[in-house]
Amino acid sequence: MRDLTTPPIFDATQARSDILGAEFMGEGTNFALYSDHATKVELCLFDDEGQEELYRLPLPDMEGGIWFGYLPDIMPGQVYGYRVHGPYEPENGHRFNPNKLLLDPYARELRGEIIWDDALHGYTIGEDDLSFDERDSAPFMPKGVVVDSRFDWDTERALRTPWADTVIYEAHVKGVTKRHPDVPEDLQGTFRGLATEPVISHLQKIGVTAIELLPIHAFANDRYLVEKDLSNYWGYSTLSFFAPHTPYLKTGQIREVKEAIRKFHKAGIEVILDVVFNHTCEGSELGQTLSFRGIDNASYYLLSEDKRHSFDTTGTGNTLNVAHPMVLRMVMDSLRYWVQVMHVDGFRFDLASTLGRESEGFERDGSFFNAIRQDPVLSGIKLIAEPWDIGEGGYQVGGYRWPFREWNDKFRDDTRAFWRRDSGQLGVIAERLVGSPVQFNHSHRPATSSVNFVAAHDGFTLWDTVSYSDKHNDANGEDGRDGHDHNLSDNLGAEGPTDDAGIDTARVRRVRGMLATIFLSQGVPMILAGDEMGNSQDGNNNAYCQDNEISWLDWDGARADIRDAVAALTAFRKDSGLAQTHFSGPEGQPVARWFHPRGDAMTDADWSDGELRILGLMLQPTDAPEILIIVNAGDDGEFALPEGDWTLRIDTARDDVACMDTVSGVLPLGWQSVVALTRA
């Protein structure tokens, strides 16, 4: 690092405006920040700990709203931030305040954390937001760190697992590792812990091909939670779109993320990031000034008609203005950075409908989606939309174009209702089994466009779906008002844990049935981390603020009877040819053929029978035997098999779910079970 006993001097001959952020160029660092309405931008250099501000250096050049300058001899490890000057006119959307140190939106690594103090606000707390606060916020702010992006990837190539073969495991870096008995204690809660052999081996055994991580971008531990002795566990409160969340790093260095990704790739497992580009952690106009608000509030955020106020379609106080070309560039730069430099394999976009909001509302051909579709780097990776937000017209399940896949909450709700034995569910469960064609069979999209799940981070775990009839969120400190009430759950006779063996058996049966529905349906199967072993959150269906044993996986309590069923189901899905994008039916026959338990085709009257809970589906994979899937959400029953000999491959009513029995004629069905057979 350069000796900073004297002020460094910018070298105009090497300065570049085309590379945003702090880019180490080999012998010095180029600094560039976009602010269209600023009048001056000061680069602030700090000591190694980020405590002492050594110099304030006005960036000497500006082109197209990009302020930039090159400093020779500024090396990786240099700590920095910005102070941005301009009009403080909240009524016009401008909230510049150079007393507030601002984090570079492109910072790759952070030093320090947010220390909540009133000085972090651009206005004076206790007065309205038109006031102007003159206190220095630097002592309470994390700072950016100049990094060297070089890393030895061992000439690895992207896995590019086909969608039809993909099995997703939604996980939390800390939640998976914090209570794992075989992860060293000093690595628990970190990327190094996540990439240890015990965790990777477990994922391989249950057939996972991709781990989808809840937000790992640096995020704020919101002040209102800290003041209640709670914390932002899930991380949907982004502070930086480039830097990883520092507590997930044992040394604080980003190479730990790269090391973890390299280990997952060597194990054949892709890494998908849950990303939050719809809003930031700065909240509404009454929120704090940490980065974007102070850099250029009117550019980075959507504002209401009265520009003093934020326009909020996310429920968080603000909405990122992705329609702005330079904000869109920041998002695209972030995505490409994580793919090209960090080697991740895809993204799940939180509240993706917000990203498609244009002047007339949600646009499936909006600038964000079109930018990704034409991008040679991003169009070829895994892209998953959470297809809704809370704004008008925000629910858009099935409304996205290729190459996006989408979380399918209709699959979740209909599968829960079917297995809860609600009446009249045969028609909807049939749709879910064949990939939800009503939603996704358009715009040249394949059957793998639906991401099928029954539980995710938001809501009950799968085990809690069969253990609690009501939510139990008292630990969140909101008197049980938070979290939704549409859980479609059933405790099967006892609220919460029980010693009743009959209830426990019923819960395992139903969980296995729902898991089998996920893995035997067309689309991309996704399970929540811990659902493969009966993990519970004590009935909390909104554990966003529970960074404790409520949310951390209980590995010691893992249930082998569920885990082994998942392993059997993923193996069958792969080996049977079920995991395909297209199927062929016999000449003159539809691709999917539906059977009544009496052995013949379903009639209109059968589909209208609200109490019928057994259904058979026959599919013909390419170059593989016919597959017959039978779901039974009712009591013990029978199913008259189509003519010929069949091999029983899966039976969730058996202790050993995987089997290879030759059967024909009438097949006995266990209560609340799924069987899968192939033509012998």
Side-chain angles (χ1 to χ4, degrees), residues 660-676:
M660 289 293 288
D661 301 343
T662 300
V663 295
S664 60
V666 177
L667 178 69
L669 298 176
W671 52 277
Q672 290 197 97
S673 66
V674 177
V675 299

Side-chain angles (χ1 to χ4, degrees), residues 93 190 290 354 436 453 617 631-632:
T190 70
L290 308 174
T354 295
S436 300
F453 66 102
L617 165 63
V631 293
N632 174 23

Side-chain angles (χ1 to χ4, degrees), residues 520-559:
L520 300 181
S521 293
Q522 297 309 299
V524 182
M526 183 188 84
I527 62 171
L528 173 66
D531 279 355
E532 79 281 12
M533 54 190 186
N535 189 67
S536 172
Q537 290 180 171
D538 301 333
N540 192 319
N541 76 347
N542 189 33
Y544 75 102
C545 57
Q546 299 300 326
D547 187 4
N548 50 50
E549 293 188 355
I550 290 176
S551 297
W552 304 336
L553 299 195
D554 178 13
W555 291 91
D556 289 334
R559 301 194 61 130

Side-chain angles (χ1 to χ4, degrees), residues 149-164:
S149 295
R150 290 176 296 182
F151 183 77
D152 181 11
W153 285 103
D154 297 335
T155 66
E156 74 152 31
R157 294 182 178 179
L159 295 175
R160 293 290 191 269
T161 303
W163 274 113

